Amino acid sequence: MSATERADGKSAPPGADNDRTPRRKGSPRRRLTPRRTATRAGQYAALLGYLAFLAFPFLWLLSTAFKPPRELGSLHPTWIPEAPTLDNFRQAFAQQPLAAAAGNSLLAAAVSALLAILLATPMAYVLARVRNRLSRAATGWVVISQAFPLVLVIIPLFLILKGLHLVDSRIGLIMVYVVWSLPFALWMLTGYVRAVPRELEEAAAMDGAGRLRTLVSVTAPLLAPGIVATALFAFITAWNEFFFALVLLKSPEKQTLPVVLTHFLGAEGVADLGPLAAAALLATLPSLLLFAAIQRRITGGMLAGAVKS
């Protein structure tokens, strides 16, 4: 029997056997045309350009932090310091209380992120599972509130905290950070809750678990990647925040790290560039180290919030 003849004796159309031949494992589904190759190359080039754009400030900051004054004032700057030095870091700690300011920023960022997560998780569960006009209005208000500029709320916020005797107080600053980061945390966690299948909660309800027990024992463990990602963003937002800390804190011993960095500027706006670069580098490292330490959980959390059951 020929290759093009079927078992019933009838001839099969040419190429029929090739259509039925299973595709080899690992073989490409379709060949890349020159147009698709050029498009993909352009995408990679754009991505590399964007990464270079993001990395340039950090690399220049890193180079400046280790340069001696002679190289900082050179008319022909170089990427790699010719005579690296740690004097800028010594001067930075000698001129300003960086350790105390970093402690204030760490306290405010960690506590506000923790409180925001504790408040946003049950609220996000309600918004994701209860579908009515009130929940839709609440979700819309959360999204709209992110568009409010800081200048719009700073005066009434200052007056409220003044009435509560919380101006120039770490507790007052933490409360402001919680309120400011709560809408974003709520918006993110709502997407993560919606990605959790309802069947798991229904099975827990059939076993006699209440809403709170279901949230703590069933839903919360599945939300761990999303909670970690949301907490990290809340922490970084509070760690880098400048405007609220500048307005609400007046005592030098209570000021956060971004505010203390402005003290390296002189009365006429002239910056002490070496110590300023060293202090800014130290202020940037915690964020980078946190992202590097839990980047897998961040990726898992972002994907969990993007997938719907």
Side-chain angles (χ1 to χ4, degrees), residues 46 103 130-131 136 204 224 257 267:
V130 179
R131 301 294 183 89
R136 288 193 292 268
L257 193 55

Side-chain angles (χ1 to χ4, degrees), residues 45-59:
L47 179 60
L48 291 176
Y50 182 66
L51 292 177
F53 174 77
L54 293 179
F56 173 79
F58 177 75
L59 295 178

Side-chain angles (χ1 to χ4, degrees), residues 130-306:
V130 179
R131 301 294 183 89
N132 52 33
R133 293 183 179 180
L134 182 60
S135 64
R136 288 193 292 268
T139 303
W141 174 252
V142 168
V143 175
I144 294 175
S145 65
Q146 297 299 298
F148 291 167
L150 299 180
V151 181
L152 186 64
V153 299
I154 189 60
I155 295 179
L157 185 61
F158 182 86
L159 296 176
I160 292 174
L161 293 178
K162 183 178 180 180
L164 297 175
H165 303 286
L166 291 177
V167 175
D168 196 21
S169 168
R170 296 186 182 92
I171 297 178
L173 184 65
I174 291 174
M175 292 175 58
V176 171
Y177 285 168
V178 171
V179 173
W180 190 252
S181 61
L182 189 60
F184 179 75
L186 183 60
W187 176 67
M188 288 188 66
L189 288 176
T190 301
Y192 299 142
V193 174
R194 289 174 179 170
V196 177
R198 287 178 176 268
E199 290 77 6
L200 298 177
E201 299 175 359
E202 294 173 356
M206 293 180 62
D207 292 337
R211 284 283 187 178
L212 182 60
R213 179 64 181 276
T214 301
L215 175 61
V216 174
S217 302
V218 178
T219 308
L222 298 176
L223 293 177
I227 290 176
V228 171
T230 306
L232 179 60
F233 280 107
F235 178 88
I236 298 302
T237 300
W239 176 268
N240 295 328
E241 201 282 322
F242 171 77
F243 189 65
F244 286 136
L246 177 66
V247 175
L248 299 178
L249 298 178
K250 298 302 180 183
S251 301
E253 66 275 7
K254 298 178 181 178
Q255 291 179 342
T256 58
L257 193 55
V259 178
V260 172
L261 291 179
T262 63
H263 297 169
F264 288 97
L265 297 176
E268 298 180 356
V270 179
D272 195 356
L273 191 57
L276 175 59
L281 179 63
L282 294 177
T284 306
L285 287 180
S287 304
L288 298 179
L289 294 178
L290 277 176
F291 273 110
I294 56 177
Q295 59 178 339
R296 292 184 179 180
R297 285 190 174 272
I298 296 174
T299 304
M302 299 299 290
L303 292 177

